[in-house]
Amino acid sequence: MTCRAWRSLAALAAGGDLDGRKQRRWEKHLAACPDCREEFRQLQESLARVRSLARREQTPDWPEAAWRRAVNRAVEQTRRPAAPASLRLPGWAWAGAAGLLIALIGAGVSFLKPGRAPRPAPERSLWADIILPEIAPPAPAEPGTAPALRPRPSSAFSRRPAAGRPALPPPRPPASTVMAMTFVSQETGLTVHWTFNDAFIYQEDHK
Amino acid sequence: MDDKENQLVAMVLAGNSDAFEPLVRPYRRALLGLAYRITGNEEDAREAAQEALLNSYRYLGGFDRRRSFRNWLLRILVNAARKAVCRSSRALSLDNGADPVEPAEGPAGRFERKELGLRIKDCLAVLSERERVVFLLRDIEERNIQDTAEILGCSSASVRVHLSRARTKVKAELARRYPGLAGGGS
């Protein structure tokens, strides 16, 4: 073992932290090596100095009132106010409710996913009803009659604007599926119908 | 753990919160002193000690009664103090933080104590966080290697490695900053 290797043990030896076998070998080397002896002496002295400084330095202490307050705070803060019995539910109930909620959200998301295959288009779409007047203004209606809607010209699906005509918005799959829910009150017979588009997504360019 | 501590732990766990204060009172000064040395200022030290008290009360049910209550408590304290150091940039700064004034202390004693504190902080400033805590526990608080390892939750071999590095660095720093204080003045 070289002196360099021995010196790695010197710091531990200075505080008496070598185990018995290593300590004996260290002492044997120390008796034969003045350089290591000097290093060891310096380590011991610096350690003794720091310990002495630390003993003389007063660390803060709790004033009695502050100590009592700290202990009381620890006890008080750890006590949790018990929930009223009516609100207390077993853990499995909370877990079940959370699972049900996640399943409902998952089912809703998968059902309403916008990337679903388009369904068969109806003969006339809402989009056509709105756009057609822009590209082909209807003839003036006769008094007392509603303006007739014309079928969409095939060029209306082209993204390129025809000469002299404004650009059309890109074509989109026609809104088709309609979902409806009906609520009937058994007591009063009141009936409420809710009808939904299947996209449920607000899209500005529908305007 | 002695019988009295064991009895107090059992009383606290049975719901007698009044038994908590006598359980932790023997470590009252050690809690604040060690926290002060780790954090470097009294404000963070008090905060860490308060958190240690709170966590020790809260998690007393998980304490293994075959082990040392003191080491368990100091372990909680060391973790709280380390967190306080991370939270605060004031750790080990030399001139800020509240000064721990004893009510009866005169100006001369206060100056001397402050000087000593600064010298210790200077020496410890060169250590890594792990080395500093190991050095504080073993060489300043004078716990043995096994206790230090138990408090820090690491092996004795790891403590020895960090301790050896820390002592070597402290010796070099002491010789550099205070040649008159360091042994040999090399």
Side-chain angles (χ1 to χ4, degrees):
Chain A
M1 215 169 159
T2 62
C3 271
R4 190 188 168 106
W6 280 115
R7 282 185 192 181
S8 67
L9 297 177
L12 288 178
D17 293 314
L18 286 179
D19 61 34
R21 191 170 59 89
K22 274 189 185 163
Q23 180 69 30
R24 282 192 295 278
R25 288 175 64 194
W26 165 253
E27 284 169 4
K28 202 173 163 185
H29 172 76
L30 212 58
C33 180
D35 287 346
C36 285
R37 206 158 48 235
E38 178 60 14
E39 173 76 8
F40 179 63
R41 187 188 64 77
Q42 287 176 15
L43 272 163
Q44 274 189 317
E45 283 191 16
S46 64
L47 193 57
R49 293 281 183 191
V50 173
R51 282 179 172 169
S52 161
L53 286 176
R55 275 192 214 107
R56 283 159 58 201
E57 185 205 27
Q58 285 180 333
T59 53
D61 192 8
W62 305 84
E64 183 62 27
W67 167 253
R68 291 272 176 192
R69 261 199 316 275
V71 172
N72 287 340
R73 205 176 298 147
V75 172
E76 291 302 322
Q77 283 190 9
T78 308
R79 277 190 199 136
R80 293 271 175 268
S86 57
L87 295 180
R88 260 182 249 145
L89 286 174
W92 61 263
W94 288 110
L100 187 63
L101 185 66
I102 290 168
L104 281 173
I105 291 171
V109 167
S110 65
F111 183 74
L112 300 173
K113 205 172 177 183
R116 291 167 65 213
R119 300 184 179 192
E123 288 184 358
R124 249 180 26 172
S125 71
L126 183 62
W127 185 86
D129 289 348
I130 296 168
I131 292 299
L132 270 175
E134 290 179 11
I135 58 173
E142 290 180 17
T145 60
L149 289 173
R150 294 183 185 180
R152 173 200 293 275
S154 60
S155 63
F157 284 99
S158 168
R159 288 173 190 242
R160 290 183 184 174
R165 297 198 175 214
L168 292 176
R172 59 181 63 256
S176 54
T177 307
V178 170
M179 230 174 24
M181 286 197 294
T182 303
F183 298 90
V184 180
S185 167
Q186 290 184 341
E187 292 176 357
T188 62
L190 178 70
T191 305
V192 178
H193 294 283
W194 282 1
T195 309
F196 303 95
N197 181 299
D198 71 340
F200 275 105
I201 298 168
Y202 173 73
Q203 291 175 317
E204 278 188 324
D205 56 0
H206 270 237
K207 287 176 185 171
Chain B
M1 194 165 90
D2 65 26
D3 286 345
K4 189 185 169 194
E5 272 185 349
N6 214 340
Q7 204 177 349
L8 288 170
V9 169
M11 285 166 72
V12 175
L13 291 178
N16 181 1
S17 58
D18 291 341
F20 183 65
E21 199 276 330
L23 177 65
V24 290
R25 177 170 280 275
Y27 312 109
R28 169 180 147 159
R29 186 147 195 160
L31 281 174
L32 196 55
L34 182 57
Y36 175 71
R37 288 207 158 110
I38 293 174
T39 60
N41 70 78
E42 194 180 359
E43 191 186 334
D44 286 345
R46 281 195 193 280
E47 199 180 309
Q50 174 72 72
E51 194 180 332
L53 286 172
L54 199 147
N55 285 338
S56 60
Y57 184 80
R58 180 175 291 166
Y59 300 114
L60 192 62
F63 167 61
D64 180 354
R65 291 197 220 174
R66 291 165 299 181
R67 313 195 81 145
S68 158
F69 178 76
R70 183 194 61 191
N71 289 351
W72 181 76
L73 186 62
L74 291 183
R75 185 173 181 173
I76 292 174
L77 176 82
V78 167
N79 289 335
R82 279 172 164 177
K83 270 198 270 176
V85 169
C86 290
R87 277 197 301 266
S88 169
S89 57
R90 295 185 299 257
L92 285 178
S93 63
L94 300 182
D95 55 359
N96 58 6
D99 186 35
V101 180
E102 298 290 321
E105 187 179 31
R110 185 179 165 187
F111 177 78
E112 189 196 348
R113 185 179 46 74
K114 193 166 184 175
E115 280 294 301
L116 293 171
L118 289 182
R119 284 178 180 176
I120 294 174
K121 284 178 184 175
D122 286 349
C123 297
L124 301 191
V126 295
L127 305 181
S128 72
E129 191 218 340
R130 189 66 158 185
E131 289 165 356
R132 189 165 70 243
V133 177
V134 167
F135 186 82
L136 283 173
L137 285 169
R138 174 69 191 98
D139 286 335
I140 307 289
E141 299 291 323
E142 302 187 17
R143 310 281 169 217
N144 62 32
I145 295 273
Q146 284 73 29
D147 279 357
T148 304
E150 194 177 329
I151 290 168
L152 296 179
C154 62
S155 66
S156 297
S158 171
V159 168
R160 283 194 169 89
V161 168
H162 286 104
L163 187 61
S164 173
R165 284 188 203 146
R167 282 175 180 165
T168 307
K169 284 186 188 177
V170 166
K171 179 207 146 210
E173 189 64 12
L174 205 60
R176 191 179 72 80
R177 283 183 179 263
Y178 308 106
L181 278 177
S186 65

